[in-house]
Amino acid sequence: MIAEVISVGTELLLGQTIDTDAAAVAQALSRQGISIYHRSTVGDNEDRLAADLRQALERADIVITIGGLGPTMDDLTKETLARVLDIPLVTDPAHVERLTEMGKRRGWDKFPEHFMKQADVPASGRGIPNNNGTALGAIFEKGGKYGVCLPGPPNELIPMLEETVEPFFAEKTSGEKAVIKSLVLRIIGMGESTVEERVKDLMADSNPTVAPYAKTGEVHLRVTARAATDEDAMALIAPREAAIRERLGDVVYGIDSETLEFAVVSLLQQASRTVACAESCSGGLISKRITDIPDSSRVFGLGIVSYSNESKEKFLSVDSRLLAEHGAVSHEVARAMAEGVRAAAGSDIGVSVTGIAGPGGGSEKKPVGTVYLGLAWDGGVISQHHQFLGRRQDVSQRAAQAALALVRRFLIAPDEPTFRQSP
Amino acid sequence: MIAEVISVGTELLLGQTIDTDAAAVAQALSRQGISIYHRSTVGDNEDRLAADLRQALERADIVITIGGLGPTMDDLTKETLARVLDIPLVTDPAHVERLTEMGKRRGWDKFPEHFMKQADVPASGRGIPNNNGTALGAIFEKGGKYGVCLPGPPNELIPMLEETVEPFFAEKTSGEKAVIKSLVLRIIGMGESTVEERVKDLMADSNPTVAPYAKTGEVHLRVTARAATDEDAMALIAPREAAIRERLGDVVYGIDSETLEFAVVSLLQQASRTVACAESCSGGLISKRITDIPDSSRVFGLGIVSYSNESKEKFLSVDSRLLAEHGAVSHEVARAMAEGVRAAAGSDIGVSVTGIAGPGGGSEKKPVGTVYLGLAWDGGVISQHHQFLGRRQDVSQRAAQAALALVRRFLIAPDEPTFRQSP
């Protein structure tokens, strides 16, 4: 089966909103072995949307729209798809009741105009329950073609995709033969060119394919196989994965959606060790990334965002003379921050970041992008200097990424020269 | 002039990478009054890319490609566009020299294969300097059509867009008449339906248009005007902005790309007040958002991510009896955290978040999504209960958003009933 994805919204077309939904939908389709050749974006314009829907329904078996299901006048997607497919909309009484209850709880004495159109479903097809918002989704069915409407807010779309849309198409495609499976190997500490040089013979094959992608502070290698069944596809991928791992070694830190913070939290849990963070120019991002992982509270109890000299002294016990002598952005202060947060938290490991994220604050000797990382443990403390390119948020992100990479390295290879105590 | 944007990369098509670049490019084109009717995504497939380029070059004056400029075998965009336009590529000797220098600094004894193709530029057209990466961009010119190649990494693409591509097209379009200008009004504390009810007569107009968009925890109203000049467009927008502000009042917190954290930092700076944060389920996100704003160090010196009862007691002076009696997720602990971080930091305001982000940890009485916020100042302390829907990261984001909204509300309307001391 072939699908097209159409994102609807002038704010998307003009770039005022980032489209994360289309990626989530594409991933879900891929998981079900459904091919995608076109993805597109169209504004809140009824005629253009109708034209794009007609074209997509000619080219593909499934057309998934994203956005335009809300209660306002320019939410037009469901109505337009109904018109293009010539399938009437009917009201789902259970959802009307749900919306009415919600209005009561909010103390509304009347509903905004058009509000109840959110309960419309296709006469031929079905509604898609939405537990996190007010608009029902819809699956239209006509002559072997499927039109699927999903709402724009990601916290509504993603559960609807996983709970209703994926199972629906898994059932529809189960009679079909081609399945596409991908495995992403996530790599930190080796550049894209080097990665490619080591695996370039594998990149010449067509099944499975191997392709590198440069990410912020890391590289991904995607291995994709096509076969009759999931098992056959995985059987093509497995030896390729093994070969890549053998060539690249322990720079491979995870697979698929396993983030670097997931790898770090997992390693800490396996080793029954804890970490605490002292952050200056990363502003809380290391703590945020660690606490994004469920159950991270087992390995993480304290992060300190010390954005002033005073807070570095008071909460991290950084000596004021160090600050005066070397400046807050220095090897010495990075080490003192790491030791300080480790002692304050009573954790096994302390990690710190201090740097100049910009746009101001840079100097000839310490330009914007200058970052020092510190790592303290029971056997010592080290610091590292980095010079990152980019803007304020890039520097902050690269600093957090490098700090997490440093913690990971320490957990898997504590005997490396990196972790010999700094002089 | 009309432009199309084509994002290139199988990882984009299959949703393994979120396309933030296409939005940045679309914004830049809009700023120059260039219309966009199509945006699309294609995989790393030479034939399909060539076909899409040909179609786009028929429909539009400008085709901007994103991605596929790197040093690897499946980076094909520049070569393919050169072939489609029948414009040869030539080597930029200055860039070859720059890459050679870079290799020396990195201690490379030889370059990876294909590395130097990153220095290729069109024989008819020009290269686009890239200060943050190794691949030059390119502007191809042929018979009034322009093909622009930009690299995928956002920290490379965005400066190239602003420094070279925008000025180039500003010059090309300066002879033309139609300019599109947009203004986004950012709203917090009023739902999309209510916003629309208040402005729906304005939404019926076609120039300027007014359209609402629901965002995570806020609503945006976009006002878009088309006119002969920037000044004429702004003259259409200004009275519409004034009318909306009058109808909505102080729920409008900012315009365009001014985030809620920008509004909070600005208000703090204007009032010469400081804030400190104590975060549990938001994991550092409030601190991160505040410190994303340049010069926020003037109003923010300390954030504490207290992810354990011990750290709440030790760093925020939360009484262990409160934790035992009410639990860490409670009105009482939220207030104690806000007071504690205010005292610890010596700041004017303390704000706190404690909640259950999930997926585990929920109970009948306090389900996942239960969040308490605290706010402490010299005149008192209050707390708020929220029940958010969604997953772990949604809860964390909504909690941070609500906390920033609470600080803003306090700064603009401290006499509201919300800020009467909790019993």
Side-chain angles (χ1 to χ4, degrees):
Chain A
M1 282 182 122
I2 297 170
E4 290 203 18
V5 181
I6 301 179
S7 303
V8 185
T10 304
E11 86 283 11
L12 291 171
L13 192 62
L14 298 186
Q16 290 168 330
T17 301
I18 303 291
D19 192 353
T20 58
D21 289 337
V25 170
Q27 285 186 348
L29 293 168
S30 298
R31 278 193 293 267
Q32 299 312 326
I34 296 167
S35 300
I36 311 170
Y37 298 124
H38 292 92
R39 261 177 48 197
S40 56
T41 305
V42 58
D44 295 314
N45 175 298
E46 193 169 353
D47 294 340
R48 271 203 288 272
L49 172 59
D52 279 20
L53 285 170
R54 282 194 193 95
Q55 186 187 37
L57 284 162
E58 272 170 29
R59 291 190 297 208
D61 310 297
I62 305 167
V63 176
I64 300 197
T65 67
I66 299 168
L69 301 191
T72 77
M73 281 193 292
D74 58 26
D75 289 309
L76 294 162
T77 307
K78 208 173 353 187
E79 296 87 324
T80 308
L81 186 53
R83 196 156 52 75
V84 166
L85 284 169
D86 196 21
I87 295 175
L89 291 170
V90 294
T91 296
D92 177 339
H95 196 66
V96 169
E97 201 172 309
R98 194 181 153 227
L99 292 178
T100 308
E101 279 301 314
M102 193 206 72
K104 270 189 208 156
R105 280 199 310 276
R106 294 191 185 173
W108 290 0
D109 45 9
K110 70 179 185 66
F111 282 88
E113 209 183 336
H114 310 301
F115 200 82
M116 286 301 168
K117 75 174 187 171
Q118 297 180 104
D120 287 350
V121 293
S124 164
R126 50 169 296 185
I128 304 175
N130 178 358
N131 294 317
N132 300 305
T134 49
L136 279 183
I139 301 178
F140 294 78
E141 289 197 56
K142 187 162 194 171
K145 299 268 182 180
Y146 301 92
V148 180
C149 296
L150 290 168
N155 68 316
E156 302 178 25
L157 174 134
I158 289 175
M160 293 165 80
L161 201 54
E162 291 179 1
E163 290 158 18
T164 306
V165 179
E166 272 201 74
F168 182 86
F169 287 110
E171 203 187 303
K172 294 289 169 199
T173 56
S174 58
E176 295 214 352
K177 270 183 187 164
V179 165
I180 300 166
K181 287 273 161 189
S182 274
L183 176 83
V184 175
L185 292 163
R186 301 173 71 120
I187 295 152
I188 192 140
M190 186 181 283
E192 188 188 10
S193 291
T194 310
V195 169
E196 179 175 324
E197 283 218 318
R198 297 217 184 160
V199 301
K200 73 176 164 192
D201 54 319
L202 308 180
M203 288 172 61
D205 284 358
S206 64
N207 195 18
T209 58
V210 174
Y213 301 101
K215 306 281 162 177
T216 300
E218 58 185 85
V219 175
H220 293 180
L221 266 188
R222 189 167 49 78
V223 183
T224 307
R226 178 182 275 272
T229 65
D230 281 10
E231 291 66 33
D232 291 352
M234 293 314 292
L236 287 169
I237 288 173
R240 198 55 40 114
E241 178 189 1
I244 294 167
R245 285 184 182 271
E246 191 180 323
R247 294 178 193 195
L248 300 185
D250 65 12
V251 298
V252 178
Y253 75 78
I255 61 164
D256 295 337
S257 61
E258 291 173 8
T259 56
L260 183 56
E261 51 270 32
F262 176 85
V264 167
V265 168
S266 302
L267 287 167
L268 287 165
Q269 286 175 339
Q270 285 157 27
S272 298
R273 299 175 90 165
T274 57
V275 70
C277 313
E279 303 188 60
S280 181
C281 74
S282 52
L285 185 55
I286 306 175
S287 294
K288 176 64 174 68
R289 288 179 60 177
I290 290 175
T291 60
D292 276 344
I293 307 304
D295 276 334
S296 50
S297 58
R298 284 169 52 203
V299 300
F300 174 83
L302 179 71
I304 291 194
V305 183
S306 54
Y307 221 60
S308 65
N309 282 354
E310 296 68 41
S311 59
K312 290 182 183 72
E313 291 175 35
K314 184 167 173 189
F315 298 96
L316 301 172
S317 309
V318 177
D319 194 318
S320 59
R321 286 167 303 186
L322 274 188
L323 288 160
E325 193 174 335
H326 303 284
V329 179
S330 61
H331 276 293
E332 292 77 5
V333 170
R335 293 198 293 265
M337 287 171 66
E339 288 178 313
V341 80
R342 177 176 178 263
S347 60
D348 298 308
I349 298 166
V351 64
S352 69
V353 177
T354 179
I356 300 161
S363 65
E364 178 90 9
K365 215 176 137 199
K366 293 178 183 172
V368 168
T370 301
V371 170
Y372 295 88
L373 306 181
L375 189 87
W377 67 98
D378 59 357
V381 58
I382 57 124
S383 55
Q384 282 189 341
H385 169 255
H386 291 262
Q387 183 63 50
F388 297 117
L389 294 173
R391 297 152 181 236
R392 187 172 178 88
Q393 296 191 24
D394 299 323
V395 171
S396 156
Q397 273 168 21
R398 285 173 186 276
Q401 178 80 353
L404 287 167
L406 183 64
V407 175
R408 171 179 181 266
R409 204 71 217 155
F410 176 72
L411 290 167
I412 63 168
D415 296 327
E416 280 186 354
T418 308
F419 302 106
R420 290 193 197 126
Q421 179 116 28
S422 304
Chain B
M1 282 181 122
I2 297 171
E4 291 203 19
V5 181
I6 301 178
S7 303
V8 185
T10 304
E11 84 286 11
L12 290 170
L13 191 63
L14 298 187
Q16 290 167 331
T17 300
I18 303 292
D19 192 352
T20 57
D21 289 336
V25 171
Q27 286 187 348
L29 293 168
S30 298
R31 277 195 293 268
Q32 299 311 324
I34 296 167
S35 302
I36 311 169
Y37 299 123
H38 292 91
R39 262 176 48 197
S40 57
T41 305
V42 58
D44 295 314
N45 176 298
E46 194 168 353
D47 294 339
R48 272 202 287 271
L49 172 58
D52 280 19
L53 286 169
R54 282 194 194 95
Q55 187 187 35
L57 284 162
E58 272 170 30
R59 292 190 295 209
D61 310 298
I62 304 167
V63 176
I64 300 199
T65 65
I66 299 167
L69 301 191
T72 76
M73 281 194 290
D74 57 25
D75 289 310
L76 295 162
T77 307
K78 207 172 354 185
E79 296 87 324
T80 307
L81 186 55
R83 196 156 51 77
V84 166
L85 285 169
D86 196 20
I87 295 176
L89 291 170
V90 295
T91 295
D92 176 340
H95 195 67
V96 168
E97 202 172 307
R98 194 180 153 226
L99 293 179
T100 308
E101 279 302 313
M102 193 206 72
K104 268 188 208 157
R105 281 200 308 277
R106 294 191 185 172
W108 290 1
D109 44 9
K110 70 178 185 66
F111 282 88
E113 209 182 335
H114 310 300
F115 199 82
M116 286 302 168
K117 74 174 187 170
Q118 296 179 104
D120 287 351
V121 294
S124 164
R126 50 170 296 188
I128 304 174
N130 178 357
N131 294 318
N132 300 305
T134 49
L136 280 183
I139 300 178
F140 293 78
E141 291 197 54
K142 187 162 196 172
K145 300 267 182 179
Y146 300 92
V148 180
C149 297
L150 291 167
N155 68 316
E156 301 177 27
L157 174 135
I158 288 175
M160 292 164 82
L161 201 55
E162 292 179 1
E163 291 159 16
T164 306
V165 179
E166 272 201 75
F168 182 85
F169 286 110
E171 203 187 302
K172 295 289 168 200
T173 57
S174 57
E176 297 216 351
K177 271 184 187 163
V179 165
I180 301 167
K181 286 274 161 190
S182 275
L183 176 83
V184 175
L185 292 164
R186 302 173 70 121
I187 296 152
I188 191 139
M190 186 181 283
E192 189 188 9
S193 292
T194 310
V195 169
E196 179 175 323
E197 283 217 319
R198 297 216 183 161
V199 301
K200 74 176 163 190
D201 54 319
L202 308 179
M203 288 171 63
D205 284 357
S206 65
N207 194 22
T209 58
V210 174
Y213 301 101
K215 305 280 162 178
T216 301
E218 59 184 84
V219 174
H220 293 180
L221 267 187
R222 189 167 49 79
V223 184
T224 307
R226 177 182 276 271
T229 67
D230 281 10
E231 291 67 32
D232 292 352
M234 293 315 290
L236 287 169
I237 288 173
R240 198 55 41 113
E241 178 188 1
I244 294 168
R245 284 183 183 272
E246 191 180 322
R247 294 179 193 196
L248 299 186
D250 66 10
V251 298
V252 177
Y253 74 79
I255 61 164
D256 294 339
S257 62
E258 291 173 8
T259 56
L260 183 57
E261 51 269 31
F262 177 84
V264 167
V265 168
S266 302
L267 287 166
L268 287 165
Q269 286 175 340
Q270 284 156 29
S272 297
R273 299 174 90 165
T274 58
V275 69
C277 311
E279 304 188 59
S280 180
C281 75
S282 52
L285 185 56
I286 305 174
S287 294
K288 176 65 175 66
R289 289 180 60 178
I290 290 175
T291 59
D292 276 344
I293 307 303
D295 276 334
S296 50
S297 58
R298 283 170 52 205
V299 300
F300 174 83
L302 179 69
I304 292 196
V305 182
S306 54
Y307 221 59
S308 64
N309 282 354
E310 295 68 42
S311 58
K312 289 181 183 75
E313 292 175 35
K314 184 168 174 190
F315 298 95
L316 302 171
S317 309
V318 177
D319 193 318
S320 61
R321 286 167 305 186
L322 273 188
L323 288 161
E325 193 175 332
H326 303 284
V329 178
S330 61
H331 276 294
E332 291 78 5
V333 169
R335 291 198 294 266
M337 286 169 68
E339 289 179 312
V341 81
R342 177 177 178 263
S347 61
D348 298 308
I349 298 167
V351 63
S352 70
V353 176
T354 178
I356 299 161
S363 66
E364 179 88 11
K365 213 175 138 201
K366 293 179 184 173
V368 167
T370 300
V371 170
Y372 295 88
L373 306 181
L375 188 87
W377 68 99
D378 58 357
V381 58
I382 56 126
S383 55
Q384 281 188 342
H385 169 255
H386 291 263
Q387 183 63 50
F388 296 117
L389 294 171
R391 297 153 182 234
R392 186 174 179 88
Q393 295 192 26
D394 300 321
V395 171
S396 156
Q397 274 169 21
R398 285 172 185 276
Q401 178 79 354
L404 288 166
L406 183 65
V407 175
R408 172 180 179 266
R409 204 71 216 157
F410 176 71
L411 290 166
I412 64 168
D415 297 327
E416 280 187 353
T418 307
F419 302 107
R420 293 198 194 124
Q421 178 115 27
S422 304

